[in-house]
Amino acid sequence: MLQDQQYLRIPGPTPIPPSVQRAMAQTMIGHRGQETSELLRSIKPRLKKVFGTEQDVLIVTGSGTSGLEAAVVNAVKPLDEVLVIVTGAFGARFVKICEAYGIRVHTYEVEWGKAFDPIEIKEYLQSFPKISAVFATYCETSTGVMNPIHELAAAVNEVSDALIIVDGVSCVGGVETRMDDWGIDIMVTGSQKAFMLPAGLMFIAVSERAWDVIHSNPNRGFYLDLTKYRDDLAKDTTPFTPALSLLFGLDQALAMMDKEGLEIVYGRHSLMKEMTREAFRALGIPLLTNDEDASDTVTAVQPEDFDAEEFRKVIKKEFGLSVAGGQERLKGKIFRIGHMGYCSPADVLQTLAMIELGLIKSGKSIELGRGVAAAQRIYLEKGENDR
Ligand SMILES: *Cc1c(COP(=O)(O)O)cnc(C)c1O
């Protein structure tokens, strides 16, 4: 293993492209000067495209969780009734945040590893008409599930005026997101997942309808009061000192996404998912989710006859290859491969080849090359040159 070599295949933080690294090394500038305003002005329209919204996407210095908290503290008041759909550890985080603010929470639990059913949520809302917001997770990173948020918004909007608030942290930028067309009210993401940046920036977009609710809320906190960020961003500035180095990086990351084309970016993520899943199928190792619920950005593998934690240790030690373990109730039971952001089909092939060796070294008998070949066949069928 070479000293500086890291194969970071966890679902965030993700690898940083060299041009983004270089952009972040730029000399510091004043945050109230013309250059910062120009930087923000050039970032704004490109971020909107990624979110699929006409609203300005607000930029806050903080990790992804600051976005979940911002959504709660701005759009909901203590004693309000909300519904949180929990499909894994990140859905559960919304419950904890709401409870910390004294909000009345209805928790809708879905078996970990499965997506929610929008029709069931619609029926639930019909029984509890006072619910004023529905919280959902787009990609549930802890299970590798991509939830049907487009269908959820349609179903909820049929029967309720509840706001639809979505944690898109581990997928926005890697999968199609059309906030306005789908009727999503608040969408949150963080910089260290599909955006190819280090942690430290949170992005949040808010619908007109949700802004009305936010303006009527008398207690929006201080640092995360989104009206401050909205008013200032309209003037190409920020209420507090922005993480300028990360903004330099964001500018370059958005340039890369633009150059590749968002549709191609999304196609690449879907292809990497299929390659990864097909490889494990060929190796006879079960996946946690079914095809329909599977995320384009993270794949959860559920070993039956070898130890997930031991396997993770082996590949880390042998190759510097990091994959994530299971969280909470899935701890020790699964491992999760991130394939998002600065990750290509070529990276997936390399990862799979290292994984096959790691499997053998952790005592699992497989035929070398079987998973890689299956992924290669998917690439030939659906990869770059055919698109
Ligand atoms: C990574 C992640 C978060 C945010 O985590 P931070 O550590 O606060 O950046 C939130 N939700 C999901 C779905 C995530 O994957």
Side-chain angles (χ1 to χ4, degrees):
M1 195 180 124
L2 294 175
Q3 197 190 322
D4 286 357
Q5 235 171 27
Q6 287 290 336
Y7 298 99
L8 196 55
R9 297 285 166 254
I10 60 176
T14 60
I16 315 293
S19 66
V20 172
Q21 294 272 23
R22 288 194 296 275
M24 290 189 300
Q26 276 174 59
T27 307
M28 194 45 58
I29 57 174
H31 65 301
R32 296 298 176 217
Q34 192 59 32
E35 288 152 300
T36 300
S37 293
E38 275 164 23
L39 182 59
L40 287 169
R41 201 173 309 134
S42 106
I43 285 170
K44 280 200 293 191
R46 292 179 284 156
L47 262 187
K48 288 183 186 192
K49 275 207 303 192
V50 177
F51 276 67
T53 182
E54 288 301 315
Q55 300 286 340
D56 272 347
V57 179
L58 311 179
I59 305 170
V60 178
T61 307
S63 85
T65 307
S66 73
L68 309 189
E69 182 151 350
V72 171
V73 73
N74 281 269
V76 189
K77 295 190 290 299
L79 303 181
D80 280 359
E81 256 180 72
V82 304
L83 173 64
V84 180
I85 310 171
V86 177
T87 55
F90 289 100
R93 186 168 294 181
F94 262 143
V95 174
K96 290 180 195 153
I97 297 170
C98 287
E99 285 175 349
Y101 284 98
I103 290 155
R104 295 205 191 116
V105 183
H106 295 254
T107 303
Y108 193 92
E109 280 267 358
V110 178
E111 187 187 331
W112 286 30
K114 295 208 160 64
F116 59 71
D117 176 355
I119 305 302
E120 286 175 16
I121 306 300
K122 176 167 129 184
E123 286 164 5
Y124 191 94
L125 284 174
Q126 283 171 313
S127 327
F128 296 97
K130 283 205 213 125
I131 288 173
S132 64
V134 176
F135 290 86
T137 315
Y138 193 175
C139 169
E140 177 49 77
T141 324
S142 64
T143 61
V145 161
M146 189 122 81
N147 282 303
I149 56 156
H150 176 194
E151 292 79 358
L152 173 77
V156 169
N157 287 332
E158 261 178 51
V159 296
S160 158
D161 289 330
L163 296 179
I164 297 151
I165 299 174
V166 177
D167 171 353
V169 175
S170 61
C171 62
V172 172
V175 303
E176 184 175 48
T177 306
R178 284 168 39 209
M179 216 185 128
D180 291 358
D181 290 351
W182 295 349
I184 307 285
D185 292 292
I186 298 185
M187 178 64 83
V188 178
T189 196
S191 50
Q192 80 274 27
K193 309 271 170 102
F195 270 86
M196 312 184 280
L197 291 163
L201 293 182
M202 178 276 275
F203 310 116
I204 185 166
V206 178
S207 72
E208 216 41 63
R209 183 168 88 129
W211 277 122
D212 290 343
V213 172
I214 292 173
H215 282 293
S216 72
N217 179 0
N219 291 310
R220 297 182 292 257
F222 186 80
Y223 184 72
L224 292 176
D225 176 354
L226 293 177
T227 64
K228 292 187 173 96
Y229 292 87
R230 184 192 205 190
D231 295 348
D232 282 12
L233 193 59
K235 295 176 274 181
D236 300 317
T237 186
T238 56
F240 312 110
T241 313
L244 280 157
S245 300
L246 291 172
L247 292 183
F248 297 146
L250 173 62
D251 185 37
Q252 175 57 20
L254 288 167
M256 284 179 68
M257 289 188 204
D258 263 351
K259 186 155 187 231
E260 185 179 359
L262 284 179
E263 291 307 315
I264 307 291
V265 171
Y266 304 152
R268 169 166 56 83
H269 283 80
S270 163
L271 176 64
M272 295 192 294
K273 164 190 73 177
E274 286 194 52
M275 289 170 69
T276 305
R277 292 178 67 83
E278 199 60 29
F280 282 96
R281 256 195 290 269
L283 292 168
I285 300 171
L287 299 161
L288 179 66
T289 64
N290 64 28
D291 285 345
E292 205 181 306
D293 296 344
S295 168
D296 288 353
T297 54
V298 52
T299 297
V301 183
Q302 193 171 28
E304 277 173 332
D305 53 1
F306 65 96
D307 187 88
E309 290 308 294
E310 189 51 40
F311 163 72
R312 291 204 309 123
K313 275 192 207 121
V314 168
I315 55 174
K316 180 72 174 87
K317 181 154 182 282
E318 197 85 24
F319 302 115
L321 170 61
S322 301
V323 302
Q327 290 171 282
E328 298 176 21
R329 71 185 71 164
L330 290 173
K331 202 172 172 67
K333 298 199 171 113
I334 60 167
F335 61 90
R336 295 171 298 141
I337 303 168
H339 34 77
M340 72 179 101
Y342 189 53
C343 184
S344 69
D347 293 320
V348 171
L349 290 173
Q350 187 187 31
T351 301
L352 292 170
M354 290 187 280
I355 282 175
E356 289 188 352
L357 287 168
L359 286 169
I360 289 187
K361 294 219 167 203
S362 18
K364 162 89 181 150
S365 100
I366 56 151
E367 185 191 324
L368 273 183
R370 224 188 151 106
V372 174
Q376 287 171 320
R377 279 192 291 274
I378 294 286
Y379 184 85
L380 279 180
E381 210 181 293
K382 305 181 174 176
E384 210 88 24
N385 299 324
D386 295 336
R387 279 191 282 132

